[in-house]
Structure formats: C-alpha cells, structure tokens
Amino acid sequence: MDSHNTWRVCGADLSWPPLLAKLRGHTYLVRSAAFSPDGTCLASASDDRTVCLWDVHTGSLIGKPLVGHTNSVNSVAFSPDGTYLASASDDKTTVCLWDVHTGSLIGKPLVGHTDWVSSVAFSPDGTCLASASGDQTVCLWDVHTGSLIGKPLVGHTDWVRSVAFSPDGTCLASASDDDTVCLWDVHTGSLIGKPLVGHTDWVRSVAFSPDGTCLASASHDKTVCLWDVHTALSTAKTTQNLPHSAPITSLAFSPDGALLSSMSNDKAICLWDVHTGLLIQDQAVEVSERNFGTWKPHN
C-alpha cells in the first residue's frame, strides 16, 4: 500500500462499514470538516481559500464553494440550529459567518484579531462564537450582531490553536503553543484558576466530554491528557507505549463519552477508554484510498 494514502486505526472494529465516498471539490489541502447538527450537510475548509458544503446523502457539492476569505481557511463550525456556518482563516484577523441555506456571507467578516485565526466554536445556545488566534488571544462574538463581546481573552503566551465550549456553555477551553490549556468563564471572560499544565509541547486540540465533567487535550508531545473540569487536575495521560509517533492534531469523544479518538500526523487514529485512560488494543485496521471501501487487518 502507498503509505501516503493509508490510515491506521487502532482499536477499530472490523465490522465497521467501508469508506463511503471521497468528496472532490477543493483544489488544495483540506484543513477542517464539520457535520451539520441534523447530519445532512458536511462543511469543509481548505487552503484553496474556500469553504465547500456537501450533501451527505449524495456526496454532491451543494452550490458553489463559498468565497470570502483571502487566505487558507483553517476551521469551520455549524451553529447548533444549523442555520449558520462560521469559518476561520489565515487572512489575518477575520472570521466569516455564512447563511447555510443560501451560501451567502452574513454581513462583513468579523474583525478583532491581529493575526491568523485558527479555530472557531459556537456556544451550545448558538448566541456566542469563540475564535482562537495566533495573536495569543481568544475572542467571543455576539452571533446576532457580529460584535465583539468585551475584550479579547488574554492568558496564553503563544499562539492559540483550538477552542471548545462546555456542554452547558458556561466554560470555554483553549489550547495553545505555550504548552498549556486555559479554562475561561464565558459570562465574565475571566480565567478560571491557573492554566492547566501537563503537556511538554504545543497543545493542538481540546474537547469536552458530553457530560462536561472531562476535558481532553492533544499535543505535539504525542500524548493526550484527560482533565477533571471541576478540579482542573489531570486524571490520565496517554503515555501507554506512546502509540502515536508524531504530533496529535485532533480529538473527539463518542456521544456516550465512553471513548475518545485521537488523530495524529503519523496517519493513525487511536481509540481510548475514557474511564481507564488506556488504549483499546483489540483490533487495528488500515484503510487505503487505493482500495476504496476496504478494511484490511494491520500486522
């Protein structure tokens, strides 16, 4: 198999269905993707400076690519009701809000950062949008007015890579190249306690468990940390044989909060037991573009 087109999935179930389709429409690297809340639409962000909307059932591009950014698009996120899409870009300072039904830009781009914007996330009630930037800050925006809420949140000492709201919307987590994670009070904009220290390199991604009690962070140090949100203490660190051999770039909890997936530049996806912090090692499979829709055991 061509290693450039193969992903290894640790802890996979061989009964999983095959890959369904490969969506083609961008002309350069794809940085981010997100499903709409009802699961019918997929949004993708690309270095070709556009956002694409896809029909999940047909795999077809919905309308034309959304054009509004002047540089690479790093992140996309749907509002909870699925009517808005937010996108973050390297075009220094801007976040765009799009009408999902028409594909039109809503108002003007949101300007408040002084450097590239790496990540966006909607609050659970859809009224607030958070953005993370290379200017070392996090901004909170009023979705209805497009106005900045208060001042940018200052607490990190290097680029901020990722933001995530807690399920109840009261807390915001941010991940930074200063090797830390910060927790913020959304209502006051204040830092909750001290930055969470446990990683030894850049922190690339954060995600809350569905019940909001656990926070996961992924790092260039090739590990995942699990944090107790109430005590701000680390409950586990995935140092078990360091299954990832390259920086970890993304995380996601299963809907029931029992499993956590981590994705790495080593082209591996690992599944973790959240309760034990251990890697699920029962199976490992590979999926390849060359053998589309086929799962193969990994030796």
Side-chain angles (χ1 to χ4, degrees), residues 206-210 214-216 226 251-261 274:
V206 282
F208 280 93
S209 61
C214 180
L215 179 73
L226 296 178
L251 295 166
F253 278 92
S254 60
D256 63 2
L259 297 177
L260 179 74
S261 65
V274 173

Side-chain angles (χ1 to χ4, degrees), residues 170-194:
T170 62
C171 181
L172 181 77
S174 57
S176 171
D177 282 5
D178 63 11
D179 306 349
T180 72
V181 173
C182 283
L183 293 176
W184 307 88
D185 184 308
V186 173
H187 299 298
T188 66
S190 302
L191 186 64
I192 301 173
K194 296 180 179 180

Side-chain angles (χ1 to χ4, degrees), residues 2 70 133 186 199 201 251 266:
D2 183 350
T70 59
S133 172
V186 173
H199 289 293
D201 208 337
L251 295 166
D266 63 7

Side-chain angles (χ1 to χ4, degrees), residues 86 95 97 110 120-123 127-131 139-141 143 165:
V95 172
L97 285 177
L110 310 184
V120 283
F122 280 94
S123 61
T127 62
C128 180
L129 179 73
S131 57
C139 282
L140 296 177
W141 308 88
V143 172
F165 280 94

Side-chain angles (χ1 to χ4, degrees), residues 16-22 287-289 291-295:
W16 282 359
L19 192 59
L20 297 177
K22 185 174 181 180
V287 61
S288 170
E289 290 180 13
N291 296 280
F292 226 29
T294 337
W295 290 101

Side-chain angles (χ1 to χ4, degrees), residues 33-284:
F35 281 99
S36 61
D38 65 3
T40 62
C41 180
L42 178 74
S44 56
S46 172
D47 279 1
D48 66 9
R49 307 178 182 182
T50 72
V51 173
C52 283
L53 296 176
W54 308 88
D55 185 306
V56 172
H57 298 299
T58 66
S60 302
L61 186 63
I62 301 172
K64 295 181 179 180
L66 310 184
V67 178
H69 290 293
T70 59
N71 209 327
S72 300
V73 188
N74 296 314
S75 177
V76 283
F78 279 95
S79 61
D81 65 2
T83 60
Y84 295 145
L85 181 76
S87 57
S89 173
D90 273 358
D91 56 13
K92 293 191 184 288
T93 77
T94 69
V95 172
C96 285
L97 285 177
W98 307 88
D99 184 308
V100 173
H101 300 296
T102 66
S104 302
L105 185 64
I106 300 172
K108 296 181 179 179
L110 310 184
V111 178
H113 288 293
T114 59
D115 206 340
W116 56 281
V117 187
S118 55
S119 177
V120 283
F122 280 94
S123 61
D125 65 4
T127 62
C128 180
L129 179 73
S131 57
S133 172
D135 65 10
Q136 306 179 11
T137 73
V138 173
C139 282
L140 296 177
W141 308 88
D142 184 307
V143 172
H144 300 298
T145 66
S147 302
L148 185 64
I149 301 173
K151 296 180 179 180
L153 309 185
V154 178
H156 288 294
T157 59
D158 208 332
W159 295 347
V160 187
R161 295 276 186 175
S162 176
V163 283
F165 280 94
S166 61
D168 65 4
T170 62
C171 181
L172 181 77
S174 57
S176 171
D177 282 5
D178 63 11
D179 306 349
T180 72
V181 173
C182 283
L183 293 176
W184 307 88
D185 184 308
V186 173
H187 299 298
T188 66
S190 302
L191 186 64
I192 301 173
K194 296 180 179 180
L196 309 185
V197 178
H199 289 293
T200 58
D201 208 337
W202 304 345
V203 188
R204 292 290 304 271
S205 181
V206 282
F208 280 93
S209 61
D211 65 3
T213 61
C214 180
L215 179 73
S217 57
S219 171
H220 266 234
D221 65 12
K222 306 173 188 176
T223 70
V224 173
C225 279
L226 296 178
W227 308 87
D228 184 307
V229 173
H230 300 298
T231 65
L233 297 176
S234 178
T235 59
K237 188 172 184 179
T238 59
T239 56
Q240 177 193 2
N241 299 323
L242 284 177
H244 285 298
S245 59
I248 304 175
T249 58
S250 184
L251 295 166
F253 278 92
S254 60
D256 63 2
L259 297 177
L260 179 74
S261 65
S262 58
M263 184 177 72
S264 168
N265 287 343
D266 63 7
K267 298 189 176 183
I269 298 171
C270 287
L271 297 179
W272 306 89
D273 184 308
V274 173
H275 299 296
T276 65
L278 298 177
L279 180 68
I280 298 173
Q281 295 181 316
D282 56 328
Q283 305 272 7

